Amino acid sequence: MGIRSMDVLDYPFEAPPPPDRAFEVAPNVLWLRMPLPFALDHINIWPLCEAHGFTQIDTGYGDEATRALWRRHFDTTLRGQPISRIVATHCHPDHLGNARWLSDRFGAPVAMTESEYLAAHAIIDQRATHSVADTCALFARHGMTDEHLAALSARGNHYRRGVPEALQHFERLIGGDRFDAGGTTWQVIAGYGHSPEHAALYAEGAGVLVSGDMLLPKISTNVAVWPVEPDGDPVERFLDSLSAFEALPADTLVLPSHGLPFRGIALRVAQLRAHHAARLNELAEAVQRAQAPQSAADVIPVLFRRPLDMQQRFFAMGEAIAHLNHLWHAGRITRLVTADAVRFAA
């Protein structure tokens, strides 16, 4: 049934499946929920039923708790049948963490975009300004305290804890590509801002969008600046990417990586655009009111009005820099750069 008008999102499922069970959310599309060791404590992943086996979209965080849960699903949800293909929406550990492990177990190829594949290797190997030291240097220039820098440095390569085995080869996906899985055809919708080349997956025949992290029902996905592109504007790239989603049919069932499946794409895109506009306005006003140039660390309380743990502060710093950069690129504030500091002013 089509959706003519909607003031709130429609959630067809009241609750997620228990960790050891799967729900069918559309023909041949199953929903698994796996734990995460963070404040954001879960990820949704999606097995697609094939004639002989499964295509697996995203794989969960690569720790023993998740792998123990997977071993139970091998016998129950998968009924002893193999995973014949793996698709990773992007390189973040909760999505890619078990891709190599599952690939080795079942001999299954892994499909993802090239930028995500290369970024995963760069972070695992700490190369090409993807190292912890590079991140600390960027955050130091943007005002992070010595205490927080020491904590960030001490935790080391946190990414490798969630992606313990690197892929050695992959099948490349590009925006616009189509492939058959689960009895229907899926199209890749490339998205930017959250990760280098995120691949959402849309099945027109099934009326389903696997949105990954690009479209979440309750929270806005993290959009951050990292050392590899310190002057970038990922906020603009993210907002531009949303246009591809709002063009999809209103009754499309959106399967997000976090939160519950929902309908109401256009409303959710409008909410996200309004959210970013409001926060950018607040940020611009805070910078303009300040009596001294502001660092990204200075403005974190404007964007995040709650206590932050180390993991959250790591993402908050990247996001604060991204939103300041966006205002600077738009000509709404000025950026002041010295040899060891980056600040922003009216």
Side-chain angles (χ1 to χ4, degrees):
M1 182 173 65
I3 300 174
R4 295 187 298 275
S5 177
M6 185 180 288
D7 296 323
V8 295
L9 299 180
D10 172 38
Y11 294 98
F13 304 94
E14 295 183 355
D20 59 348
R21 289 186 55 202
F23 289 169
E24 185 175 55
V25 295
N28 296 322
V29 181
L30 304 182
W31 174 15
L32 301 183
R33 175 164 284 197
M34 295 289 191
L36 293 178
F38 315 120
L40 183 59
D41 63 2
H42 71 273
I43 180 173
N44 303 319
I45 60 176
W46 315 98
L48 309 180
C49 304
E50 309 289 3
H52 303 286
F54 294 82
T55 291
Q56 179 60 44
I57 301 176
D58 287 336
T59 65
Y61 194 79
D63 61 1
E64 182 52 37
T66 303
R67 292 183 179 185
L69 196 54
W70 260 120
R71 293 184 188 99
R72 295 168 66 182
H73 282 291
F74 293 156
D75 296 327
T76 56
T77 301
L78 304 189
R79 306 182 303 278
Q81 298 187 57
I83 292 174
S84 56
R85 174 170 43 185
I86 298 162
V87 180
T89 58
H90 60 298
C91 71
H92 292 166
D94 48 338
H95 300 261
L96 191 65
N98 293 297
R100 173 69 185 272
W101 180 70
L102 291 171
S103 177
D104 287 349
R105 179 184 179 95
F106 293 105
V110 179
M112 60 193 302
T113 64
E114 185 171 52
S115 296
E116 301 290 339
Y117 175 80
L118 295 176
H121 278 269
I123 302 170
I124 288 172
D125 295 340
Q126 300 284 278
R127 296 178 182 270
T129 61
H130 286 79
S131 73
V132 175
D134 294 317
T135 301
C136 287
L138 175 70
F139 288 179
R141 296 190 73 213
H142 283 273
M144 181 175 262
T145 66
D146 290 344
E147 177 188 0
H148 289 144
L149 287 169
L152 178 60
S153 179
R155 75 177 194 164
N157 187 352
H158 202 259
Y159 181 88
R160 188 154 198 165
R161 295 190 188 98
V163 188
E165 304 99 356
L167 295 170
Q168 295 305 302
H169 45 78
F170 76 117
E171 293 183 349
R172 187 178 182 185
L173 298 177
I174 298 174
D177 279 357
R178 296 174 183 272
F179 62 90
D180 292 333
T184 191
T185 299
W186 299 82
Q187 179 179 350
V188 176
I189 301 177
Y192 304 93
H194 175 63
S195 65
E197 192 183 3
H198 184 290
L201 306 169
Y202 174 58
E204 181 179 11
V208 170
L209 170 72
V210 176
S211 63
D213 280 347
M214 288 297 295
L215 204 60
L216 305 175
K218 295 290 187 181
I219 59 175
S220 176
T221 190
N222 177 260
V223 178
V225 161
W226 303 113
V228 70
E229 193 183 3
D231 300 336
D233 187 0
V235 172
E236 184 68 21
R237 294 191 184 280
F238 175 74
L239 295 173
D240 285 347
S241 295
L242 294 178
S243 299
F245 300 115
E246 64 188 341
L248 298 180
D251 59 354
T252 300
L253 177 63
V254 181
L255 306 181
S257 294
H258 310 285
L260 298 176
F262 67 94
R263 291 188 174 92
I265 286 182
L267 173 63
R268 186 57 186 145
V269 170
Q271 290 173 342
L272 289 169
R273 292 192 189 283
H275 166 79
H276 280 280
R279 302 322 300 275
L280 287 164
N281 286 339
E282 292 174 14
L283 185 57
E285 291 171 2
V287 171
Q288 290 158 3
R289 287 196 310 267
Q291 296 182 354
Q294 297 290 287
S295 70
D298 291 332
V299 303
I300 281 179
V302 178
L303 296 174
F304 300 90
R305 299 164 185 167
R306 64 184 188 277
L308 302 174
D309 61 25
M310 188 65 247
Q311 175 78 357
Q312 293 167 327
R313 183 166 293 276
F314 169 75
F315 288 115
M317 273 296 293
E319 191 148 351
I321 299 168
H323 282 75
L324 288 166
N325 274 8
H326 180 76
L327 292 172
W328 164 57
H329 281 290
R332 297 176 63 182
I333 60 175
T334 299
R335 191 175 75 151
L336 309 171
V337 180
T338 65
D340 58 358
V342 179
R343 298 294 183 266
F344 298 84

